[in-house]
Structures are given as structure tokens and as C-alpha cells.
Amino acid sequence: MKKTLMIICISTLLVNAQYKIDRFAFTSGGNTSTSSTNIIKSSVGLIVTGKSTSASNIVNIGFWYIAQTLTGVKDENTIPFTFNLYQNYPNPFNPSTTIKYDLPQESNVILKVYNLLGQTVATIVNTNQKAGTYEYKWDASRFSSGFYIYRIETNKNILTKKMLFLK
């Protein structure tokens, strides 16, 4: 979860070339900041505009700034936008590896591991699953070293990846 904070810094360059920060405007959206010599307007996503009525200074106005990423808050109900099969990790592995995938909608899922001869060596998943992100650990300790292929099949998609088991 992100929170947007706008900080507008209005600086004045005085005639004797000293840099000075005159005024700040803090807001979470559009804002108008006024004083006897300045009128500054801002909108989220747009360049800040301003007007100085004093002949003794030049107003330099910056952009708004996005800050404040809140930590410790995790949205557990995030649904992926696309179907994806990630590369296993670690790869190469010994003796187990993690296989992760995203389902954008509910689907019947079959996740299998094959040897290079095309023979099924493991069926990791064979069930209906709701939309979400899933990961499974595959233990290959009873198999021989070498390349393996893992394949996921849903109602609409099929994806495959290669992995290397080294003892």
C-alpha cells in the first residue's frame, strides 16, 4: 500500500544571490498556497505553477514529490493480472527446488515434471485452484542428476520451463 505525499518547495533567489527556502506546501492532492507576494497552484501529476508579485526576487518552483511507502502492510488478496510460470529457484538445484506460478482466474491446474524422454516423473498439482499466486517445493532426491522439464496446464494455457538437478 502506497501513500502519496506532495511537497512543493518554493524557493526565492534574492538579488544578492543567496539561496533561501521561503515556503512549503504539503498536500495529498491539489493545493493553492498564497502569501502577500506569491500565489502557487498545484495538482497531482502536473507541474506546479506560480506567480511572484515582488520585484526583488525570482520564484523557482519544483515538482511534486512522491514519498512515503508504508512498510509492514501486505495486501494478501492480490490477484495476478496474467498467467505466468516462473523459473524454478534455485536452478541448478540439489535436492529440492521451488516452482511458482500465477493464476489470474480460477482454473483446473495440472503441474507435472518430465524427464528428457518425455516421461512423467512427478505430478505436483492436479486440482482446481482459485486465482492467486502459488508455489510448490519439488524434492528430486530420489531422481538422477540431469535436465528436467516442468509443465503447467490450465483450462486456457500451457507453459513449460527447464531446470537442472545436480547431485
Side-chain angles (χ1 to χ4, degrees):
M1 181 172 159
K2 288 188 177 183
K3 184 168 178 87
T4 303
L5 174 68
M6 183 188 305
I7 302 172
I8 303 166
C9 177
I10 304 164
S11 61
T12 305
L13 184 61
L14 301 175
V15 175
N16 63 4
Q18 292 179 349
Y19 188 76
K20 174 182 154 188
I21 296 191
D22 246 81
R23 189 174 171 89
F24 288 93
F26 295 94
T27 181
S28 61
N31 187 50
T32 299
S33 177
T34 59
S35 71
S36 60
T37 58
N38 298 306
I39 299 173
I40 307 301
K41 293 187 177 187
S42 63
S43 264
V44 172
L46 299 177
I47 296 173
V48 177
T49 59
K51 175 182 168 187
S52 176
T53 57
S54 172
S56 65
N57 62 46
I58 301 168
V59 177
N60 297 310
I61 303 169
F63 296 151
W64 58 278
Y65 163 74
I66 297 177
Q68 298 298 105
T69 300
L70 298 178
T71 59
V73 178
K74 185 176 179 184
D75 185 3
E76 296 291 335
N77 297 325
T78 303
I79 296 176
F81 290 111
T82 59
F83 175 69
N84 193 17
L85 177 62
Y86 297 95
Q87 185 63 51
N88 67 302
Y89 61 91
N91 190 31
F93 66 96
N94 179 18
S96 63
T97 188
T98 301
I99 299 171
K100 181 178 175 180
Y101 58 90
D102 293 334
L103 288 178
Q105 61 192 23
E106 184 174 345
S107 182
N108 187 46
V109 177
I110 301 171
L111 175 61
K112 291 185 177 184
V113 178
Y114 300 89
N115 63 19
L116 288 183
L117 298 174
Q119 300 165 324
T120 302
V121 296
T123 300
I124 299 171
V125 177
N126 187 4
T127 188
N128 193 55
Q129 293 181 322
K130 296 183 188 253
T133 299
Y134 296 87
E135 62 179 55
Y136 293 92
K137 188 166 273 199
W138 181 54
D139 183 2
S141 56
R142 62 186 182 100
F143 298 101
S144 60
S145 294
F147 282 99
Y148 290 88
I149 295 171
Y150 58 105
R151 177 180 185 231
I152 188 167
E153 181 179 344
T154 66
N155 297 346
K156 296 182 180 181
N157 299 291
I158 298 173
L159 290 174
T160 59
K161 299 267 186 191
K162 291 185 276 184
M163 58 184 163
L164 178 58
F165 175 39
L166 293 176
K167 280 190 177 180

